[in-house]
Structure formats: structure tokens, C-alpha cells
Amino acid sequence: MQQSRPSLFIAPSPLGGRGVFSSEPIISGSIIEICPVLVVPGQDRPHLDQTKLHDYYFIWGVNDDHCGLVLGFGSLYNHAYEPNVEYEPDFEADTLTFYALKNIPAGTEITVNYSGDPTGKIELWFEEK
């Protein structure tokens, strides 16, 4: 099974910093990437919060009691309240799968809602651009 689309690439983002894009169109409902997750015990979260990793890890586990550093492009997708992608965790396999919510034209930035719910409106820990 392919873990990531070969068409994915990182480029400067109009949302700020870097973002993930695809050089080819992506069809709604298709898998964009299956990312392995490096699980970190929740007790180590205060240490992560003192590093640059603070902005890149996911809350992880059935009880949200761990942290997950998502490998591949997974920790680099930018936030949008109206995302074109959603993600689904697999806590047994320690993977996070990203699916297209709609057709994504080539060259469009791939975005997720950081709340974990494509329609969620959580308060973010950073200022949006």
C-alpha cells in the first residue's frame, strides 16, 4: 500500500510559512496520505511544549492521553476552518490517514481543521493570517 501520493510537495503558503500542495488533482474521498505516528507519552507533553515541536504534534490516543508526532507530510498541513481534507486516527496501527473532503485542483494547498472535526471552530493557539 502506498503511504503518500508522489504528487505531494511543500511550498511557501499564503496561510503563512510552508504548506503541502499536490501537483496533480485529487478526487473527493480519496486517500491523500497514511502517516506513521511516533507516539510520545502524555507525561512528556510539557517538554514538547518547550520546543519547536509544540506546533506540530497531535493529541493522541483513545483517551487523548498521549502526543503523536505525525511523520510524512502529516504535521505540515496548515489549518483552515473550511478544510479540503479530514484525518482519521488509527490508534492500534499508530497511523493518521488523510482523506480529501472534496475535489482538490492541482496546485491548491491541502488544509485540515486542527480541531479534528472539519466543521469545528476551536480557538487556535496562534493567530491566523
Side-chain angles (χ1 to χ4, degrees), residues 92-123:
E92 287 185 23
D94 288 331
T95 60
L96 196 62
T97 301
F98 292 84
Y99 298 90
L101 286 170
K102 53 184 110 176
N103 290 334
I104 304 171
T108 301
E109 183 166 5
I110 298 169
T111 58
V112 299
N113 187 320
Y114 285 1
S115 74
D117 173 0
T119 62
K121 300 292 183 193
I122 64 165
E123 187 175 333

Side-chain angles (χ1 to χ4, degrees), residues 37 39 60-62 88-96:
V37 176
V39 179
W60 193 256
V62 175
E88 182 178 316
D90 181 336
F91 300 123
E92 287 185 23
D94 288 331
T95 60
L96 196 62

